Each structure stands twice: as C-alpha cells, then as structure tokens.
Amino acid sequence: MKILIANLGSTSLKWRLFDFAGGRETVLHKGGLERVTDHGAAIEECLATLKEQGAIAADADISAVGFKTVLAKGLSGCVRLDEVAVASMEAMNAVAPAHNPAYVSGVRQFARRMPGTPLVGLFETAFYQWAPEAAMRYAVPQKWHEAGIRRWGFHGASHKYIAERSAELLGREDVAERARQLYVDGGSSPVREPALRVISCHLGGSSSITGIRDGVAIGNSLGLSPQSGLPHNNRVGDLDAMAVPFAMRSLGLSLEDCERQLCKESGLFGVSGVSNDIRDVQAAAGQGNAAAQLALDVFVHEARRWIGAYLVELNGLDALVFTAGIGENRAELREAICRDLEHLGLRLDPDRNAGTRAVEAVISSDDSPVKVMVIPTNEELVVAREVKRLLDRGQPTLND
Ligand code: ADP
C-alpha cells in the first residue's frame, strides 16, 4: 500500500511517499517545491516526479493522500476529507491564517486532480482529545466555550511521535504500545507502574511543549490557535487578551492590522527586528545586538515556563525531549533551557549536548535522574500510519 503525505504551505508543497508493502514502512520518495503560486500545478509536478523516479507507475498506485491538517470546526482525529470536512476546516481559517487556508485550497485541488483517491487528514489537534478538561478550558463564559474558544493544542503528530519513540528508547514497550493504539482505544491499553513522565519540546518555526503521561498528552502550550504558547518565528505566542482592543484604541490599528502584525510581524522577528530564523537571530545576538539577544531570552524564558508547568502537573519527570529544527540542531538553546535545573534532577552533559545535531541521543550526564534526549521528529510517518489504519478499517466516511 502506497500512501502519499502532502505537506501544504501557503507557497510550498512537500511530500513523502510511503510504502507499507510486506509489513515494512519504507519512504519511496521525498521531495518538495518552494515558491508555489498554484497548488494545482505543484500537484501535477509532484505526480510527474513520482512517475519519473519510478516510485509509482500510475496515479492509481497511490492508495490515499494524507495531510497533517491543522484544525476544523467540530472535527478532530483522523478523517476522510470530503467537502463537509474541508468546509469545517475553512470555518476555522481566521484562527490559523498561516496554516489552514493552504490546506483548504490544496485539499480541494487534490480532490479535483485525484477524484477516486481517498484524501485523509490527521488533525494536529487529535493528540489532545484525551487531555484533562481543566487543562483545555479557558475561563471564558460558557457561550464562548461552546463556540470553540478553548485550548485545542497543535503539533499533535510530532508530539505523538515523541510519545511513542521516547517510550521505545526508554525501554517501556508497554507505554509505546499505548501510544501506538491511542487513536483506536483512547489511551486505555494497560501499562505497568511506575508512570512514564515525558515533556516533549517541539522547537522550530512553530514551537510547542507538551506533557505526556504514559503515552497520552496532558496538555499543550498551543491553545485556541497556532499563535499562542511560546513565541514562534513571526507569530506572537501567548498574549494578554486585552492587548488587542488596547492596541486598536491606542495605536489606531484596525482588526486586520492587529491580525497581520500578530501573525506575521511578531515572535522572534518582532522582538529581534532581525529575522524569523533563529540562526540569524543568534548571529546578530553574537555581534552584540541587544534586541536579538532579548528575543532569544524571551524564547528560553517561555520554554522554561511551560516545562515548569508540566513538571508540576506530572509530579516529576523521566525524560525531557527536544525535537524539530531548533530542538534538534541548536545546542546553545537546549543548554540555556536546561540551565540550573540540577535541583530538579536534570543535569546536561555539555559535550554530549554540543556534539548532538539531528540524531537520536541522550545528552544528559549518566548520573542525571532525568534523561534529556534529542529525538528527530517524524510527523509524516505518524500521519501515514493513521491513514493506513483508516484504510485498513475499510475507508469509513466522515459519518461512519
Ligand atoms: P517548521 O516549524 O517550519 O517545520 P523547522 O522545524 O525546520 O520549522 O525549524 C525552523 C527553525 O529551526 C529555524 O529557526 C531554523 O533556524 C532552525 N533550524 C532548522 N534546521 C536547522 C539546522 N540544520 N541547523 C540549525 N538550525 C536549524
């Protein structure tokens, strides 16, 4: 069974083609297009490339196309993306303007181009379906809550991968199996004592931190929208709700101005005034740019704040995991985030940390009660596995 995973950005299309033949999980092809102005043409080019490279002989060789969809009104989990589902995604475009519109238009283009092929979305919110209600509720009036104004949590595919892989690496096959079965049984598969407590730090263009107990998320730093939690590349992160009306009145901004500035001109870029890429921000800070240094300090401060929150909630910690572009590659930031936590049982090994880039590794010292690990994430594999599971169950429709 060949499953194509399409990662849709507003100006990009990246893909991976998985083959599950013979019980294996093989990546047959990996590619991408940047500066895309027309997703239809990009899909055409993707399919042509897969044929040229011999990954498929015909479009019909692709059993399904899977998407790491962001959020939809009244819908989560792993579902067939029929027009009802796509319209539910579209209804949330204003909450995720940097992410949802690209999926809405891209999925519609795939539906036009490959009408007989199942299109399936694993929503980024899916991993948090079993988080405690108190962790997901905002203290807003009930009507707001019913309108969908609550914490949803995102980066679900990435944190789910970390839940599973960290348990495997820590020798807890029981917990790994619970994480694997999560979307089937909601986390009810049995596990041994003691509980496995993991904090997963996905630090990249978007960043989020999740607490995971026995393979199941207990919350996520991202809330209603992907503009919350830690500061992101150019998106704001957590902000007091009264800041928007205050900025509108005192700076004379329109609602659209506020949306644009919070979604495109904030985060690392907004504070540093330099770039939305942490490499540039670090380089500028190294040359004495105080605003760039402050952007890094804010990022580290917020990461530590969320780690602290989950440390308390989990009543201790077995492993702190770093993943994604920054988490996998930026040793200095990992070091800054883990600074002075020896009293909580967390001791980084400076040489292991400095020597680790984009590979699985333990970077804490041998005598550290809490293991600190780097685990490269694999979001596409998580999506492909769930799409396969859905196809194996007989391709139910949304209403099944
Ligand atoms: P996205 O959330 O868009 O998928 P990534 O996970 O690739 O983004 O993370 C992007 C961030 O990670 C950027 O700030 C970039 O500087 C940093 N980053 C990504 N890859 C590397 C690398 N190989 N070396 C250093 N930093 C990297």
Side-chain angles (χ1 to χ4, degrees), residues 230-231 295-307 336-337:
L230 277 69
L296 298 175
D297 293 346
V298 171
F299 183 78
V300 168
H301 181 271
E302 290 298 282
R304 286 167 64 91
R305 194 160 72 83
W306 281 101
I307 290 169
I337 290 170

Side-chain angles (χ1 to χ4, degrees), residues 178-202:
R178 173 180 281 189
R180 264 177 229 127
Q181 292 302 316
L182 188 63
Y183 296 131
V184 177
D185 65 12
S188 60
S189 336
V191 294
R192 300 192 314 267
E193 292 285 331
L196 184 65
R197 302 155 304 175
V198 173
I199 296 179
S200 170
C201 306
H202 176 116

Side-chain angles (χ1 to χ4, degrees), residues 155 202-206 233 268 276-279 324-326 329-330 357:
H155 284 155
H202 176 116
L203 310 178
S206 302
N233 52 2
L268 290 170
N276 59 13
D277 190 306
I278 207 135
R279 285 169 283 203
I326 295 172
N329 294 292
R330 309 308 294 183
R357 274 190 96 121

Side-chain angles (χ1 to χ4, degrees), residues 81-117:
L81 296 174
D82 56 13
E83 185 46 39
V84 176
V86 176
S88 308
M89 288 159 62
E90 197 167 24
M92 296 304 263
N93 273 0
V95 172
H99 303 88
N100 249 28
Y103 273 98
V104 168
S105 70
V107 170
R108 284 192 173 130
Q109 296 271 12
F110 267 101
R112 243 170 263 143
R113 176 62 182 75
M114 306 179 78
T117 309

Side-chain angles (χ1 to χ4, degrees), residues 11-12 15 38 44 80 93 107 109 130 142 156 161 223 225 230 236 248 288 292 298 303 317 325 331 333 335 339 370:
T11 61
S12 66
W15 65 84
D38 170 8
E44 217 51 74
R80 281 287 289 272
N93 273 0
V107 170
Q109 296 271 12
W130 302 279
Q142 181 64 15
Y161 181 79
S225 85
L230 277 69
V236 62
M248 290 174 73
V298 171
L317 191 60
L333 285 160
E335 200 265 322
R339 194 166 293 158
V370 177

Side-chain angles (χ1 to χ4, degrees), residues 65-82 85 88-89 119-130 150 152-157 160 181-186 382-390 393 396-398:
V65 185
F67 302 88
K68 188 165 61 76
T69 39
V70 184
L71 88 161
K73 198 172 170 61
L75 194 63
S76 190
C78 183
V79 299
R80 281 287 289 272
L81 296 174
D82 56 13
S88 308
M89 288 159 62
L119 308 180
V120 180
L122 177 64
F123 282 94
E124 288 284 69
T125 53
F127 189 45
Y128 310 100
Q129 294 173 91
W130 302 279
R150 44 156 288 177
W152 290 106
F154 300 92
H155 284 155
K160 162 81 155 56
Q181 292 302 316
L182 188 63
Y183 296 131
V184 177
D185 65 12
V382 170
V383 179
R385 284 174 178 167
E386 293 308 321
V387 173
K388 176 179 183 296
R389 185 156 29 207
L390 190 141
R393 285 207 314 259
T397 64
L398 194 59

Side-chain angles (χ1 to χ4, degrees), residues 148-375:
I149 299 171
R150 44 156 288 177
R151 290 188 177 281
W152 290 106
F154 300 92
H155 284 155
S158 178
H159 291 300
K160 162 81 155 56
Y161 181 79
I162 299 304
E164 217 173 294
R165 189 66 191 138
S166 60
E168 286 167 5
L169 293 170
L170 293 163
R172 289 293 300 265
E173 181 50 34
D174 55 332
V175 174
E177 183 58 14
R178 173 180 281 189
R180 264 177 229 127
Q181 292 302 316
L182 188 63
Y183 296 131
V184 177
D185 65 12
S188 60
S189 336
V191 294
R192 300 192 314 267
E193 292 285 331
L196 184 65
R197 302 155 304 175
V198 173
I199 296 179
S200 170
C201 306
H202 176 116
L203 310 178
S206 302
S207 296
S208 78
I209 295 183
T210 284
I212 304 168
R213 184 187 286 114
D214 285 334
V216 183
I218 61 161
N220 179 240
S221 60
L222 288 161
L224 167 69
S225 85
Q227 282 73 234
S228 52
L230 277 69
H232 308 280
N233 52 2
N234 60 359
R235 283 168 291 119
V236 62
D238 280 348
L239 178 73
D240 189 310
M242 295 315 284
V244 173
F246 182 73
M248 290 174 73
R249 291 191 190 107
S250 59
L251 302 174
L253 300 177
S254 66
L255 188 57
E256 290 69 28
D257 291 335
C258 287
E259 285 180 323
R260 191 190 66 254
Q261 293 186 16
L262 294 175
C263 296
K264 291 193 169 161
E265 298 165 21
S266 298
L268 290 170
F269 173 73
V271 180
S272 70
V274 171
S275 166
N276 59 13
D277 190 306
I278 207 135
R279 285 169 283 203
D280 302 334
V281 179
Q282 282 182 304
Q287 288 160 8
N289 183 323
Q293 185 57 51
L294 181 62
L296 298 175
D297 293 346
V298 171
F299 183 78
V300 168
H301 181 271
E302 290 298 282
R304 286 167 64 91
R305 194 160 72 83
W306 281 101
I307 290 169
Y310 291 122
L311 236 152
V312 169
E313 214 47 48
L314 291 167
N315 190 19
L317 191 60
D318 297 296
L320 178 71
V321 182
F322 288 99
T323 193
I326 295 172
E328 292 168 26
N329 294 292
R330 309 308 294 183
E332 322 78 6
L333 285 160
R334 293 193 298 249
E335 200 265 322
I337 290 170
C338 294
R339 194 166 293 158
D340 297 334
L341 297 181
E342 290 81 6
H343 59 297
L344 294 173
L346 199 150
R347 292 185 204 107
L348 212 59
D349 179 304
D351 295 334
R352 286 180 187 166
N353 180 41
T356 298
R357 274 190 96 121
V359 286
E360 282 182 354
V362 173
I363 57 171
S364 45
S365 58
D366 290 338
D367 64 352
S368 178
V370 177
K371 278 202 161 54
V372 186
M373 307 165 88
V374 172
I375 302 181

